[in-house]
Amino acid sequence: MSDSNGFQRWCDVVVIGGSAAGLAGALMLARSRRSVIVVDGGEPRNAPAAHMHGYLGYEGKSPSELVAAGREEVRSYGVEILEGQVDTVERDGDRFVARLADGVVRARKVLVATGATDELPAIDGLADHWGDQVIHCPYCHGWEVRDQRIVVVASNPMAAHQAGLFRQLSDDVTVVVHDPGAVGEQGLAALVDLSQHDVEVVAEPAMRVVASGGRLTGLELRSGQVVDADAVAVATFIRARADMLAPLGIEPVVHPSGIATSIEVGDMGATSVRGVYAAGNVANPMLQVLPAAAAGSMAGAVINAELVHDDLADVAASPNEWDLRYGSADQVWSGNPNGTLVVEVDAMEPGRVLDVGCGEGADSVWLAEQGWKVVALDVAAPALERASAAAASRGVSIETVCADLPSAGFEPGSFDLVSLFYPAIPRTPEGEAIGAMLDAVSPGGTLLVVGHSFDGHVHHGHTPAFDQRAYVQVDDIAARLDTATWTIVEHGVRNRPAGHNTHHHDDIVLRATKH
């Protein structure tokens, strides 16, 4: 189930970085029915900015609002988002291994969308106003400082270009030549030309930001002179976050502009290592949020196409995660029936039961011993083999079906009891699995669903192995029970029966009968 580093997961694609580019790529892949795990460290490049501009449909909204909406959308297709940092990405046979402090994710393909960090010039107080009154991009923040006093700190060869863009927005632009050597001869000559267009150029390094009441009011130079300012425009050095790719031989290189490092990729995001893609600022430091998302979306589509090519070239189908999880251990579960099942079913008249997500069959075998005619459903063939073997060893018979709920094709109303314990059913926007499960219950029959209660559960800095919000929850199922068809007997939190060795102490129990 796990390696020495903790949990172990398998998926088609691991996306490293969960901002615009990463989430857009994950959405494209999920809509192509790929299993996707996003690992996100929660440090987007635009986090200091209160508002996002130039993104059609999201103009003026906060970056966090975009990320929240994107997370909700990808989770609706079963994409998991694990909070954590990927330390390294390595190759292991036909898969890539993304290593975290608490475990590993093994994936067929990798999309790196970790973005970049902005390294500010060494001027005291600059970082305190970064993303607000200290800005760098006229397209991202220029409108908000239009007609104000803007000081451009010249510290790279693109200074004149940057100053010219801000000159379009205000008639009061001053350039402070902070680092003449970094600006270079051509850059300095361009600044001389710019000075002929009502742009004042001051050839003196800046020392600190002057502020009053939390607001920037000027920039103090080495001589003590203060240049009044309402906003300061700086050129940061943009450093790609890509150290985790070093084991694959992928290293950031200096961008042709000279103002950044980036991962070299082709037009569609492919790196020099087949199966590894990069999108967003980690690959192109010039991208704003909208084109970064577009690059992620394009990379997601290309990754899916590459997976299709690989699948067609290999006759053997790629195993799903649950096949791999069960295949990696001799026995995953205890072999004992769930205590809540035992309590709830004790007084019921045996009939036909569908055990959804039966795993290794402990519940199915116990139900068969109580006289139930059992259909055990799971997507993992190794688990079903163990369930059949367990039934045979106990002298009972169960029917096994290797499929997910929507594709199993059960006749409506064909089960007196449908049970689902701790569901691991990926979400879909239409909720087909929920519909298939409810349809399978016969009139007068019972639906019994038990899930984890995570209220108040804190991970204390650890990366959880699963993102529960990407899976169908008990409350999702309860929300589909209309009163004309169903009577809810119980829907609430209950203490887990004694004997279950787990750090979760409470379950959510849903029991309903069909009219």
Side-chain angles (χ1 to χ4, degrees):
M1 290 291 292
S2 64
D3 69 3
S4 59
N5 290 327
F7 69 78
Q8 186 165 196
R9 297 293 310 279
W10 292 264
C11 62
D12 288 327
V13 184
V14 60
V15 178
I16 307 173
S19 193
L23 292 176
L27 181 62
M28 187 65 73
L29 287 157
R31 285 180 51 82
S32 296
R33 309 188 76 172
R34 297 296 181 184
S35 59
V36 182
I37 294 176
V38 177
V39 182
D40 183 41
E43 297 178 343
R45 182 185 175 195
N46 61 0
H51 303 284
M52 183 178 61
H53 299 286
Y55 199 128
L56 190 63
Y58 276 88
E59 172 59 34
K61 297 183 180 179
S62 70
S64 61
E65 188 174 354
L66 174 69
V67 170
R71 286 186 166 202
E72 182 178 350
E73 289 173 0
V74 299
R75 281 177 170 140
S76 76
Y77 287 94
V79 173
E80 294 184 56
I81 302 171
L82 303 186
E83 308 286 349
Q85 296 279 359
V86 172
D87 297 322
T88 61
V89 180
E90 306 161 12
R91 187 87 200 195
D92 184 13
D94 60 352
R95 286 187 178 254
F96 296 95
V97 180
R99 296 195 177 277
L100 293 77
D102 301 303
V104 301
V105 179
R106 298 181 180 274
R108 299 170 65 190
K109 308 291 179 185
V110 179
L111 173 56
V112 180
T114 43
T117 57
D118 288 284
E119 297 177 356
L120 295 168
I123 300 172
D124 288 346
L126 209 60
D128 297 337
H129 302 275
W130 174 239
D132 179 16
Q133 290 176 277
V134 175
I135 59 180
H136 72 108
C137 174
Y139 301 108
C140 301
H141 308 290
W143 175 266
E144 284 64 43
V145 298
R146 68 194 185 281
D147 298 326
Q148 296 182 21
R149 298 171 299 177
I150 302 171
V151 173
V152 177
V153 176
S155 58
N156 74 18
M158 303 290 290
H161 173 72
Q162 185 183 38
L165 294 175
F166 279 102
R167 175 64 182 80
Q168 170 66 21
L169 297 161
S170 174
D171 292 332
D172 192 346
V173 175
T174 301
V175 176
V176 171
V177 183
H178 178 69
D179 187 345
V183 175
E185 292 184 7
Q186 290 186 338
L188 292 172
L191 287 175
V192 172
D193 291 340
L194 195 63
S195 66
Q196 299 173 12
H197 297 276
D198 298 324
V199 174
E200 182 181 0
V201 178
V202 180
E204 189 176 344
M207 300 304 292
R208 71 180 184 92
V209 168
V210 178
S212 176
R215 297 293 296 174
L216 182 154
T217 60
L219 195 63
E220 183 179 329
L221 308 184
R222 185 169 59 188
S223 64
Q225 175 189 353
V226 175
V227 181
D228 293 336
D230 302 303
V232 172
V234 299
T236 64
F237 187 82
I238 307 166
R239 193 171 298 280
R241 293 189 181 119
D243 291 346
M244 79 291 295
L245 299 179
L248 298 176
I250 301 175
E251 301 275 2
V253 298
V254 177
H255 189 265
S257 66
I259 65 170
T261 64
S262 61
I263 294 296
E264 291 183 304
V265 298
D267 292 341
M268 304 298 181
T271 70
S272 58
V273 176
R274 188 180 189 275
V276 179
Y277 289 74
N281 285 154
V282 71
N284 185 343
M286 305 303 181
L287 296 183
Q288 294 175 266
V289 183
L290 179 58
S297 183
M298 175 62 73
V302 175
I303 291 170
N304 179 63
E306 188 172 287
L307 285 166
V308 169
H309 178 274
D310 293 351
D311 292 340
L312 293 176
D314 188 354
V315 177
S318 178
N320 66 50
E321 177 175 14
W322 291 101
D323 284 343
L324 293 166
R325 288 178 66 83
Y326 282 109
S328 67
D330 293 333
Q331 183 173 340
V332 176
W333 309 115
S334 69
N336 300 318
N338 185 277
T340 301
L341 175 71
V342 173
V343 171
E344 292 293 329
V345 173
D346 183 57
M348 294 178 64
E349 186 70 24
R352 191 163 186 249
V353 56
L354 174 62
D355 184 7
V356 180
C358 67
E360 293 164 315
D363 290 350
S364 294
V365 172
W366 182 84
L367 286 163
E369 290 176 331
Q370 311 313 306
W372 289 83
K373 185 176 181 181
V374 179
V375 176
L377 176 73
D378 206 285
V379 297
L384 291 174
E385 291 172 3
R386 294 176 189 177
S388 295
S393 70
R394 303 269 282 272
V396 295
S397 176
I398 63 174
E399 177 186 349
T400 61
V401 177
C402 189
D404 60 18
L405 261 172
S407 62
F410 297 120
E411 289 292 327
S414 55
F415 293 96
D416 302 297
L417 170 64
V418 173
S419 67
L420 172 63
F421 281 71
Y422 311 115
I425 301 173
R427 291 185 187 273
T428 61
E430 294 79 15
E432 299 95 334
I434 299 176
M437 181 168 51
L438 301 186
D439 288 345
V441 181
S442 64
T446 297
L447 172 70
L448 178 61
V449 184
V450 176
H452 296 292
S453 174
F454 293 96
D455 289 346
H457 180 66
V458 181
H459 294 293
H460 301 294
H462 295 292
T463 300
F466 290 87
D467 176 8
Q468 297 297 328
R469 285 170 288 185
Y471 294 91
V472 171
Q473 300 297 301
V474 177
D475 291 346
D476 299 326
I477 299 170
R480 293 280 293 270
L481 302 179
D482 62 277
T483 56
T485 307
W486 294 89
T487 296
I488 296 179
V489 179
E490 180 180 1
H491 178 208
V493 177
R494 183 193 299 182
N495 288 333
R496 180 165 299 178
H500 287 261
N501 184 20
T502 174
H503 54 277
H504 299 291
H505 302 293
D506 298 318
D507 287 332
I508 300 178
V509 178
L510 172 65
R511 178 170 178 165
T513 56
K514 198 173 192 179
H515 301 165

